[in-house]
Amino acid sequence: MSRRFEQRFQDTVPFACIFAVSMALLVDEIMLTSIFHVLLGEGNTVAAIAIALVGLSASGVAAYLLPVFHDEQRLRGLQSKLLFAFGISLIVVVFAIMNIPVTHGDFNFYRDEGSVRLARLAVYNTSVIPFFVGGLAINAILRTGFRSIGRLYFADLIGAATGCLLSPFALTLLGAPRAIVFVALIPLLISRVTSTTAWKPPLALFALPLALVTADLVRPQMLSFVKMNTMGRVEAPAYRSFKIEAGDLDFEQWALDAWTVLRSDKIPQQWEDFRGWGLSDSYDGPIPQFVQINFNARFSTYVTGFDGDFGKIGDWLDADLTSLHYLLGREFPAVLNIAGGGGREVLNALHHDAKRVVVVDVNEVAIEVLMKGRLRSFSGDLYFDPRVTAIADEGRSFAERSSETFDLVDFSIAGGMNLEKMELLRVDDLFTREALQTYFRRLADDGVFSYVMYSTRADALEQALDRDFVTDQPYVPAIKVLAGIRLIAEQNGWGGAEFGRHVLVAALRGRVSPNYDLVHIVASKTPFSDQERQRFVALCDRLDFIAFHPTDPRRAEPNLYHRLAAAGQLSELSDSLPFSILPATDDRPFHYAFDLEHLGEALKRGKLMQMLSGNPLISMAINIGLLAIGVTFGPLLFSRLRHGGREASGKMSYSLLGFFACVGFGYMAIEIAVLLKLGVFLGKPIYGLGVGLFAFLFSSGLGSAFSSRFDPARLHRTLYGLVALLVVLGTLFAGLSTGLFNATIDQPIAGRIAIAIASVFPVAFLMGMFFPSGIVLVSGGRESLIPLAWAINGCFSILGIFGTRIIALFAGFDSAMAIGWCAYLLAAICVAFHARSRDRFAAA
């Protein structure tokens, strides 16, 4: 009995090990995305994922080149040591990262400072270590257990899926750094239990994670950030960073949306001498007290001290750019305020006699913990006012699911928090053409839509218009939103030449950044009267705002907003400009001002790289893509292949490695495009990312397990059939998913999650069969190529992530998904070449 139990235990060891490593790696990856938001700033969700894949790819190359990975007996004895090293690396690395003395602003505002660049490089290089060591452990298991590849890869994917499920709970209960320390316990324990050699990790080391976290609770700075930053004054931003000590934060909490903090009075706030985002420079009245709620040390909302007396704050409220729509003489009994945060716009609505205010904000800590808890008294019980309903939800999703009609839909500087967890895609789907249609459906027949956001300065745009071609394409969200409103107006019969009477546009210059205008767009379903238009211009004149449309004849300056509002045809105006002003769509949810036409023009003029390098989406893609290629293929160029190059130089081997490249690229291209669709459907960005990743990993894991049933002798033909079926199912998903999601978007979140997983399951199930099937093709004398197959699959997964973003930027995510299906077709061609080469080799 004991022998049978021992044998069963030994049989399950590889699966338990690979499960534990994959789970810990996924938790580490997700926690790093949260840490990087604070430490490094925007664009670093995808950086964390790319770092993970770079480390895993590099581990495959190392396993291919290191002699020990070609000695099965020695490799079995090495596995527990690699598990132990992996667990220790998780702990050491998170402590090292958290104690690097930088903050995100150091990178954004001191880009030419060598020491800061080295600090970023140190963060990236340090972060990659656990993924490299964990990848070595996985490669050791795959190399010795390749005969059970279907079940091993199942354990790998299910481990990652479990990590995806575990991460939200670990993040909220422990915080990102402590979650990494605790998850390190799992591979450490397994390394001792599964060790088959005389060496076993010392028992005392297993207390290390607990001891470190306990010490951190006594001295909190051990696993906390060591620096923060201030941006100076809103009217004259001036960046500086400073060290923080224990007690400098009055409140901090990790959550799914952000690391949310309240800074104490001992340290500078993110914005100092704060008066409001859009307060007129001419206002000289009393300023209320504020508490700034800081998200990821980068975004802020503020809570206004309020005792119930609007007489004390009414003049201050009305002297702000964001209040213009309330000063035109209209009444708004029912208001939907999206991204309300600390409640400034809620106060505005109540001050102007709103009878019902629904405020929606994506950050649950701000709504439920702070506004309804810690800051309840300071805010004057604002979110407990019987006229106010405060909801922690994603604004667009709420509007999609709501059936209520409002007199005003009000956005004020919304969008930053929505981008955080979906930076994998770096999309802004709050203000696409489809999103704008949703908001206008929520409006009454004479309702008003109000939008306030930062956008490239209008005078800078005018200078760009003097050129026939612009390489540095501007970021123009306000222009694109106005264009989207115009398209909606034309569809609903209140556009055309009369559109200019339905919109008002004003701005403040140089707020938050000298390169941007703070722009306020007010759009009405019914035309603004002459009196309202005149009052608007007079208000702008009195408060020193810039009236973009209608313009003030005494202070008029040419501007694109006025051209857009007064143009005869939107398409004709857009065609006449050196950059695109057409609105973002759900398929292309970006507010950058270029498209395929401008890409072609850049290519014709020989300025393609100049244009591409100026876009942050593309420049990061190029840099990390080159890094992935260098890490994967560089060592191979400078090292002789272990077996004299015979295996890797053969056509069979090249075709197999091409197969893994196609599968890696195609899997990521399809996954990312699907994640975008799920993000809009499920609401909060974290739901789209978390549920989508889990659905793909879990379904692909089941597919991998199922692939073990395939007959190796007929595997080539099986793969042809799988590719054909995958393309058919993928085409059905692309064609039917939008209609399905639109029809069921009013379901409760649990129902929508179930629908999302069910819709993803068929394609992800099939996609999970390809990697293990490829490993089966590699076996039969070419097992030394398994680590290289792993490396190339990881490298092209990185290229798939960034390639998808670049394709989507110009052609849309549907096109990117279609290219993903084409990658699987290419994989089938690689299989055909392999079969042909194998048959010729056998005949010879």
Side-chain angles (χ1 to χ4, degrees), residues 509-826:
R509 185 145 291 161
R511 295 301 171 100
V512 175
S513 167
N515 300 318
Y516 286 88
D517 292 328
L518 180 62
V519 180
H520 190 176
I521 298 172
V522 186
S524 172
K525 280 189 169 182
T526 57
F528 288 107
S529 66
D530 290 338
Q531 292 81 1
E532 288 174 320
R533 289 160 56 86
Q534 292 167 8
R535 187 176 296 120
F536 172 80
V537 172
L539 284 166
C540 290
D541 179 59
R542 177 169 64 83
L543 296 170
D544 291 329
F545 302 148
I546 304 170
F548 282 150
H549 178 81
T551 57
D552 184 343
R554 297 167 300 171
R555 304 170 62 180
E557 61 178 68
N559 71 87
L560 188 53
Y561 298 94
H562 182 66
R563 287 192 181 93
L564 202 164
Q569 293 291 330
L570 176 61
S571 58
E572 291 180 2
L573 174 63
S574 182
D575 291 342
S576 69
L577 302 177
F579 51 82
S580 174
I581 62 170
L582 295 179
T585 66
D586 281 353
D587 188 43
R588 289 185 62 221
F590 305 97
H591 288 300
Y592 296 101
F594 54 67
D595 51 25
L596 280 174
E597 180 181 342
H598 297 96
L599 184 68
E601 184 67 20
L603 183 61
K604 185 190 304 182
R605 293 170 178 260
K607 297 182 177 181
L608 179 62
M609 290 308 299
Q610 185 178 349
M611 172 186 278
L612 297 181
S613 62
N615 183 275
L617 289 178
I618 299 174
S619 60
M620 177 179 282
I622 293 172
N623 290 335
I624 296 185
L626 290 175
L627 173 64
I629 292 172
V631 166
T632 304
F633 294 101
L636 301 176
L637 296 177
F638 296 98
S639 301
R640 296 180 64 87
L641 297 178
R642 289 202 51 76
H643 299 288
R646 187 176 64 255
E647 289 184 336
S649 62
K651 292 182 179 179
M652 278 192 293
S653 300
Y654 284 136
S655 60
L656 283 176
L657 296 180
F659 170 84
F660 286 106
C662 292
V663 169
F665 185 96
Y667 191 100
M668 280 299 178
I670 294 166
E671 181 183 54
I672 288 178
V674 172
L675 287 179
L676 176 71
K677 291 180 178 288
L678 295 183
V680 175
F681 176 56
L682 294 174
K684 282 191 176 185
I686 187 61
Y687 290 160
L689 188 61
V691 171
L693 285 178
F694 171 78
F696 263 91
L697 292 168
F698 183 77
S699 304
S700 295
L702 294 178
S704 175
F706 187 85
S707 70
S708 61
R709 303 183 182 187
F710 296 158
D711 181 0
R714 298 176 53 84
L715 190 54
H716 293 87
R717 293 185 179 182
T718 301
L719 287 172
Y720 302 150
L722 288 178
V723 169
L725 182 57
L726 179 61
V727 171
V728 170
L729 290 177
T731 303
L732 289 174
F733 177 87
L736 301 177
S737 58
T738 300
L740 171 65
F741 295 159
N742 289 339
T744 58
I745 199 167
D746 58 347
Q747 296 296 309
I749 184 61
R752 280 179 283 141
I753 288 175
I755 292 168
I757 294 175
S759 66
V760 167
F761 179 84
V763 291
F765 181 78
L766 292 178
M767 290 162 66
M769 299 178 181
F770 285 87
F771 183 87
S773 296
I775 296 297
V776 173
L777 293 178
V778 167
S779 60
R782 292 184 299 277
E783 291 82 6
S784 61
L785 289 177
I786 291 176
L788 191 57
W790 170 272
I792 288 177
N793 183 263
C795 174
F796 278 83
S797 294
I798 298 172
L799 299 181
I801 292 174
F802 289 107
T804 300
R805 297 206 311 173
I806 294 174
I807 294 165
L809 189 62
F810 294 105
F813 279 99
D814 285 344
S815 297
M817 186 186 293
I819 290 175
W821 306 129
C822 291
Y824 277 93
L825 291 173
L826 285 175

Side-chain angles (χ1 to χ4, degrees), residues 124-186:
Y124 286 159
N125 286 341
T126 304
S127 300
V128 82
I129 293 172
F131 298 99
F132 178 77
V133 179
L136 287 178
I138 292 175
N139 271 284
I141 297 168
L142 292 180
R143 183 68 179 82
T144 57
F146 65 90
R147 295 172 186 84
S148 302
I149 183 60
R151 290 186 294 156
L152 282 175
Y153 198 55
F154 164 78
D156 177 52
L157 294 174
I158 295 301
T162 304
C164 196
L165 281 181
L166 180 63
S167 291
F169 301 101
L171 181 62
T172 54
L173 291 174
L174 301 171
R178 294 186 188 96
I180 295 174
V181 173
F182 267 103
V183 81
L185 276 170
I186 299 172

Side-chain angles (χ1 to χ4, degrees), residues 285-614:
I287 303 293
Q289 287 185 302
F290 304 110
V291 171
Q292 294 183 43
I293 303 175
N294 209 187
F295 307 117
N296 288 341
R298 297 199 290 127
F299 302 109
S300 288
T301 185
Y302 63 91
V303 185
T304 307
F306 181 55
D307 63 4
D309 184 359
F310 281 107
K312 297 179 180 179
I313 65 170
D315 291 342
W316 168 77
L317 286 170
D318 289 344
D320 199 284
L321 179 75
T322 61
S323 301
L324 282 176
H325 51 299
Y326 284 110
L327 307 178
L328 301 175
R330 294 197 183 188
E331 295 183 352
F332 305 109
V335 176
L336 172 61
N337 174 228
I338 296 179
R344 193 265 182 202
E345 302 314 315
V346 179
L347 286 171
N348 222 353
L350 296 179
H351 172 50
H352 290 279
D353 301 321
K355 303 298 186 291
R356 171 163 169 73
V357 182
V358 178
V359 55
V360 182
D361 194 277
V362 73
N363 188 270
E364 190 164 351
V365 174
I367 297 293
E368 300 295 340
V369 178
L370 295 176
M371 288 299 292
K372 293 183 179 180
R374 186 184 183 96
L375 299 175
R376 174 177 177 174
S377 176
F378 181 81
S379 66
D381 286 346
L382 182 61
Y383 284 0
F384 292 88
D385 188 298
R387 296 167 291 179
V388 176
T389 301
I391 302 169
D393 201 347
E394 197 276 331
R396 175 180 176 179
S397 177
F398 175 85
E400 292 271 12
R401 292 179 278 114
S402 175
S403 59
E404 190 172 352
T405 299
F406 299 91
D407 302 291
L408 170 67
V409 174
D410 191 16
F411 283 88
S412 185
I413 316 179
M417 284 305 304
N418 271 55
L419 296 179
E420 288 287 38
K421 292 301 179 185
M422 289 299 279
E423 270 187 345
L424 176 61
L425 311 178
R426 195 57 187 166
V427 301
D428 188 351
D429 55 22
L430 260 182
F431 302 110
T432 62
R433 186 176 63 202
E434 295 85 349
L436 291 170
Q437 289 171 337
T438 296
Y439 307 140
F440 275 87
R441 284 198 299 270
R442 297 279 71 81
L443 286 176
D445 291 341
D446 58 350
V448 166
F449 174 80
S450 173
Y451 165 92
V452 182
M453 183 55 71
Y454 301 100
S455 199
T456 299
R457 287 174 53 142
D459 54 351
L461 294 178
E462 287 301 307
Q463 295 174 11
L465 295 180
D466 293 334
R467 291 175 278 168
D468 61 346
F469 180 74
V470 178
T471 55
D472 187 12
Q473 300 292 303
Y475 183 64
V476 287
I479 289 287
K480 285 180 167 282
V481 166
L482 185 58
I485 295 171
R486 171 146 192 165
L487 286 180
I488 293 169
E490 292 172 354
Q491 293 170 5
N492 290 279
W494 46 279
E498 289 297 310
F499 175 71
R501 299 190 64 82
H502 289 261
V503 292
L504 309 170
V505 186
L508 260 175
R509 185 145 291 161
R511 295 301 171 100
V512 175
S513 167
N515 300 318
Y516 286 88
D517 292 328
L518 180 62
V519 180
H520 190 176
I521 298 172
V522 186
S524 172
K525 280 189 169 182
T526 57
F528 288 107
S529 66
D530 290 338
Q531 292 81 1
E532 288 174 320
R533 289 160 56 86
Q534 292 167 8
R535 187 176 296 120
F536 172 80
V537 172
L539 284 166
C540 290
D541 179 59
R542 177 169 64 83
L543 296 170
D544 291 329
F545 302 148
I546 304 170
F548 282 150
H549 178 81
T551 57
D552 184 343
R554 297 167 300 171
R555 304 170 62 180
E557 61 178 68
N559 71 87
L560 188 53
Y561 298 94
H562 182 66
R563 287 192 181 93
L564 202 164
Q569 293 291 330
L570 176 61
S571 58
E572 291 180 2
L573 174 63
S574 182
D575 291 342
S576 69
L577 302 177
F579 51 82
S580 174
I581 62 170
L582 295 179
T585 66
D586 281 353
D587 188 43
R588 289 185 62 221
F590 305 97
H591 288 300
Y592 296 101
F594 54 67
D595 51 25
L596 280 174
E597 180 181 342
H598 297 96
L599 184 68
E601 184 67 20
L603 183 61
K604 185 190 304 182
R605 293 170 178 260
K607 297 182 177 181
L608 179 62
M609 290 308 299
Q610 185 178 349
M611 172 186 278
L612 297 181
S613 62

